[in-house]
Amino acid sequence: MKLKLKNVFLVYFLVSLTGLLYALLQLGQPCDCSPHLRAAAEHLRRKDLKISQLQAELGRPPPAPAQPPEPEALPTIYVVTPTYARLVQKAELVRLSQTLSLVPRLHWVVVEDAETPTPLVSALLAASGLRFTHLVALTPKGQRLREGEPGWVRPRGVEQRNRALDWLRGKETAVGGERDPPPEGARGVVYFADDDNTYSRELFEEMRGTRGVSVWPVGLVGGLRFEGPQVQGGQVVGFHTAWEPDRPFPLDMAGFAVSLPLLLSRPGAQFDPTAPRGHLESSLLSHLIDPKDLEPRASNCTRVLVWHTRTEKPKMKQEEQLQRLGRGSDPGIEV
Amino acid sequence: MKLKLKNVFLVYFLVSLTGLLYALLQLGQPCDCSPHLRAAAEHLRRKDLKISQLQAELGRPPPAPAQPPEPEALPTIYVVTPTYARLVQKAELVRLSQTLSLVPRLHWVVVEDAETPTPLVSALLAASGLRFTHLVALTPKGQRLREGEPGWVRPRGVEQRNRALDWLRGKETAVGGERDPPPEGARGVVYFADDDNTYSRELFEEMRGTRGVSVWPVGLVGGLRFEGPQVQGGQVVGFHTAWEPDRPFPLDMAGFAVSLPLLLSRPGAQFDPTAPRGHLESSLLSHLIDPKDLEPRASNCTRVLVWHTRTEKPKMKQEEQLQRLGRGSDPGIEV
């Protein structure tokens, strides 16, 4: 009996151990849906492409941007982009529009430095597949940068950004796209995005929940690797910058976003075209918030998600030479 | 002893039985992807609806099979991007990866000019959501651009592009991402896309059907508004360019794509690092095709869908000043 039980015990032990090991190995295999989901995502992307092509053909903005879960529940991000005619304008706007097309619930407010809308910008907006509003605001002569003057002498895009603020407040008429300002009580965020910077799509999700004014670092600006708020205990306690650290808000235009309700509750808040160098951002923000109440984003301002990139002005020496010979680039082809 | 063994047996029996039952129950749960797939199918259905509505609005009958071609039916576009460490590298790669994420059925082949893969590029690729292959190829010392030398003195990225060709031919090992080269007989297109140019998403659909070598204009290159093939009766009959119009292929790197089967059928076709200025593209293309057989795209080469933009090198004067004071930008923050 003693021997028999031992044998039974041993056999049972070995069999059950093998079974358990096998079962545990099987449990270790994760449930892998990713190939199916990747295929589905490919399908969706293709259909999105098709939809935007068709919409471009119809020449109308689509009713809603890309498809997150229940986009109606998200606050709209109003991205304000001043732009002016130059050789790289179309390239920059194409690049930016493609970045913005990755962001759900976004409304692009493009303000041309022009008297009337240009065909280039109008066609680009219509084909972008984005929700947009097209405005124009000509920079007054006295504020315009003169030939050869470095860019920092006069702040650029002031008139255009203020025109966008006017539209948001229902005081300005659009020349294209959605003409109605945001409905009363709408949740939203306003961000000033120049057409030459580089934006990570992640940045937009960082700013979406802005209650007052949210802030984050900006890469490659002010002669530094980055400029940005210094945060302690979740609060902004200072700013990393080389230029006049004592400015009320030593922030770059690309380094903050404002909640729409806050902006609408201060009808006098706008950019001051006469602000001294580096004080343009402060001229708006001083109307809106106390620096200590800024909301740090991007992991307490430790991640760079926007870069102040500058695109070189292309040299056109050969173009001029060929034009003199009557063989310049076909002016009928838009660049 | 007898009693003791029996007790041990009983306890072991009960414990292992419980364990086995639990494991078997868990195994009974199927790997359940269906909620995800149902949601995706629902999305797809809604998009199909949208597409047919839009097509109806356009007053055109939908194509015979109501569904667009399955993504699996599309040739893969292999986008080869050489890259090297510099201040704007991350910004450029983020911007490019976001553009590429809009293109279905795309495989990004990134080749670092480095001995080993860098954490910056590895992390960026992993986070991109793209299908990718990560390669490294250090530029030999003699071929490297010296400090202060203008960019056109030596062709850049030659070693890296050739390394990508080696990988496509199964002769090179990847350091990250998908390691296997395209399967035998795969349909595909190869495009050389530097990380600083600007690409319209439309460009990729133009090149997808490439049978041999397809071509189109490139904006803001060679001192001209654009360079590009001249087309008559659907055939390339010349090239608009200012620099050596008699080169065999006066094309910019961004101005052509090659079909994968053609490339694989000519194992000797690669870029020649010793090619004279402006002849690098010709050194590859001469192995592949006769200029008269080039396939014009982008509405017979009348639309500019890629721009040879250059990003300015950021100035770091203030950074150096602050570093001397021990207050430089936090090196722990990646820019």
Side-chain angles (χ1 to χ4, degrees):
Chain A
M1 177 61 189
K2 188 174 154 191
L3 198 73
K4 232 171 141 190
L5 192 59
K6 212 186 224 161
N7 285 345
V8 170
F9 183 101
L10 266 169
V11 169
Y12 181 77
F13 179 81
L14 286 171
V15 167
S16 67
L17 195 71
T18 317
L20 256 172
L21 275 172
Y22 172 74
L24 284 170
L25 271 171
Q26 289 300 309
L27 281 172
Q29 306 289 333
C31 180
D32 190 8
C33 300
S34 57
H36 304 286
L37 290 176
R38 252 204 306 277
E42 281 268 346
H43 268 293
L44 281 167
R45 257 202 298 279
R46 269 193 56 75
K47 287 195 197 294
D48 278 339
L49 192 67
K50 181 82 196 158
I51 288 173
S52 50
Q53 281 167 349
L54 287 167
Q55 272 161 340
E57 269 179 83
L58 278 166
R60 303 186 189 160
Q67 279 67 26
E70 293 179 50
E72 301 73 34
L74 294 173
T76 299
I77 300 175
Y78 292 89
V79 173
V80 173
T81 301
T83 187
Y84 65 99
R86 62 201 190 279
L87 279 167
V88 298
Q89 182 184 32
K90 189 174 178 186
E92 306 266 45
L93 289 176
V94 163
R95 186 147 67 175
L96 178 54
S97 73
Q98 292 180 161
T99 295
L100 300 182
S101 76
L102 293 165
V103 183
R105 201 79 173 158
L106 181 143
H107 187 127
W108 198 17
V109 183
V110 175
V111 197
E112 282 197 80
D113 186 351
E115 227 165 325
T116 53
T118 63
L120 188 151
V121 174
S122 303
L124 191 145
L125 287 171
S128 70
L130 294 165
R131 273 175 70 190
F132 71 90
T133 293
H134 189 173
L135 301 166
V136 289
L138 191 67
T139 303
K141 257 194 175 164
Q143 283 173 40
R144 238 176 281 168
L145 210 62
R146 269 151 233 160
E147 187 65 33
E149 265 185 341
W152 48 260
V153 170
R154 263 160 243 279
R156 200 168 221 162
V158 185
E159 204 67 22
Q160 288 75 34
R161 293 189 197 98
N162 282 339
R163 196 61 56 96
L165 294 178
D166 287 346
W167 174 76
L168 287 167
R169 290 169 175 140
K171 298 194 298 178
E172 177 61 37
T173 312
V175 296
E178 291 189 30
R179 279 145 211 266
D180 292 337
E184 213 165 318
R187 293 190 308 146
V189 185
V190 179
Y191 180 54
F192 300 95
D194 289 355
D195 57 6
D196 46 0
N197 291 333
T198 301
Y199 306 90
S200 163
R201 61 195 292 180
E202 287 182 71
L203 178 68
F204 300 94
E205 299 321 313
E206 291 289 336
M207 72 177 72
R208 199 182 292 278
T210 302
R211 292 180 304 272
V213 176
S214 57
V215 289
W216 50 79
V218 177
L220 309 176
V221 69
L224 298 177
R225 286 181 64 240
F226 66 87
E227 274 187 3
Q230 291 159 327
V231 180
Q232 263 172 30
Q235 271 221 320
V236 174
V237 295
F239 297 90
H240 173 62
T241 179
W243 173 263
E244 284 193 32
D246 294 332
R247 287 174 288 164
F249 294 87
L251 289 168
D252 185 77
M253 195 62 76
F256 67 90
V258 181
S259 95
L260 180 66
L262 173 62
L263 202 59
L264 297 181
S265 72
R266 310 283 163 90
Q270 58 164 15
F271 293 100
D272 176 3
T274 66
R277 179 179 170 193
H279 286 256
L280 188 64
E281 293 82 356
S282 300
S283 76
L284 174 81
L285 292 172
S286 304
H287 289 279
L288 299 174
I289 202 163
D290 193 279
K292 71 165 173 35
D293 295 327
L294 293 169
E295 301 157 30
R297 294 295 150 101
S299 304
N300 276 327
C301 299
T302 61
R303 295 184 67 206
V304 173
L305 298 172
V306 52
W307 297 262
H308 191 259
T309 41
R310 302 286 87 161
T311 304
E312 275 178 20
K313 190 178 165 184
K315 295 187 184 77
M316 287 289 112
K317 210 175 76 181
Q318 280 74 16
E319 186 69 56
E320 287 153 21
Q321 284 170 352
L322 286 192
Q323 277 176 3
R324 276 195 293 273
L325 302 165
R327 297 193 281 113
S329 302
D330 181 350
I333 294 183
E334 187 179 83
V335 178
Chain B
M1 174 63 191
K2 190 173 147 192
L3 198 74
K4 235 172 146 188
L5 193 60
K6 209 188 228 160
N7 284 347
V8 169
F9 183 101
L10 265 170
V11 169
Y12 181 77
F13 179 82
L14 285 172
V15 167
S16 67
L17 196 72
T18 316
L20 255 171
L21 275 173
Y22 174 73
L24 284 169
L25 271 171
Q26 289 299 309
L27 281 172
Q29 305 289 332
C31 179
D32 193 7
C33 301
S34 57
H36 304 287
L37 290 175
R38 250 201 308 279
E42 181 55 37
H43 266 292
L44 280 166
R45 249 199 305 283
R46 260 182 277 152
K47 284 186 199 297
D48 278 337
L49 191 68
K50 182 83 203 161
I51 287 173
S52 47
Q53 280 167 350
L54 286 167
Q55 274 164 338
E57 269 180 86
L58 276 166
R60 279 193 211 162
Q67 296 279 333
E70 296 293 299
E72 298 74 39
L74 290 175
T76 299
I77 300 176
Y78 292 89
V79 173
V80 173
T81 301
T83 188
Y84 64 100
R86 61 202 190 278
L87 279 167
V88 298
Q89 182 183 32
K90 188 174 179 186
E92 307 266 44
L93 289 175
V94 163
R95 185 147 66 175
L96 178 54
S97 73
Q98 292 180 165
T99 295
L100 299 182
S101 75
L102 294 164
V103 183
R105 202 80 173 154
L106 182 142
H107 188 127
W108 198 16
V109 184
V110 175
V111 197
E112 281 196 81
D113 187 351
E115 228 165 324
T116 52
T118 62
L120 187 150
V121 174
S122 304
L124 191 144
L125 287 171
S128 70
L130 295 166
R131 273 176 70 191
F132 72 90
T133 293
H134 189 175
L135 301 166
V136 289
L138 191 66
T139 303
K141 256 197 176 163
Q143 283 173 40
R144 237 175 281 169
L145 211 62
R146 270 153 233 159
E147 187 66 32
E149 266 185 338
W152 48 260
V153 170
R154 263 160 242 280
R156 200 168 222 163
V158 186
E159 203 68 22
Q160 290 73 37
R161 292 188 199 98
N162 283 338
R163 197 61 55 98
L165 294 178
D166 287 346
W167 175 76
L168 288 167
R169 291 170 173 138
K171 298 194 296 177
E172 176 62 38
T173 313
V175 296
E178 292 189 28
R179 278 145 213 265
D180 291 336
E184 212 164 320
R187 293 190 309 145
V189 186
V190 180
Y191 180 54
F192 300 96
D194 289 355
D195 57 6
D196 46 1
N197 291 332
T198 302
Y199 307 90
S200 163
R201 62 197 288 179
E202 287 182 72
L203 178 67
F204 299 93
E205 298 321 314
E206 292 289 335
M207 72 176 72
R208 200 183 293 276
T210 302
R211 292 179 305 272
V213 176
S214 57
V215 289
W216 49 81
V218 177
L220 310 177
V221 69
L224 299 177
R225 286 180 64 241
F226 66 87
E227 274 187 1
Q230 291 159 328
V231 179
Q232 263 172 32
Q235 272 221 319
V236 174
V237 295
F239 297 91
H240 172 62
T241 178
W243 172 262
E244 286 194 31
D246 294 332
R247 287 174 287 165
F249 294 88
L251 289 168
D252 186 77
M253 195 62 77
F256 67 89
V258 181
S259 96
L260 180 67
L262 174 62
L263 202 59
L264 297 181
S265 72
R266 310 283 162 91
Q270 59 163 15
F271 293 100
D272 177 4
T274 67
R277 179 179 170 194
H279 286 254
L280 188 63
E281 294 81 356
S282 300
S283 76
L284 174 81
L285 292 172
S286 303
H287 289 277
L288 299 174
I289 202 164
D290 193 278
K292 71 168 173 35
D293 295 327
L294 293 169
E295 300 156 31
R297 296 295 149 101
S299 304
N300 276 325
C301 299
T302 62
R303 294 185 66 207
V304 173
L305 297 172
V306 52
W307 298 261
H308 191 259
T309 41
R310 303 286 87 162
T311 303
E312 276 179 21
K313 190 178 166 184
K315 295 186 185 77
M316 287 289 114
K317 210 176 75 181
Q318 280 74 17
E319 186 68 57
E320 288 152 21
Q321 285 171 351
L322 286 193
Q323 277 175 4
R324 276 194 292 273
L325 301 167
R327 296 192 282 113
S329 303
D330 182 349
I333 294 182
E334 189 179 79
V335 178

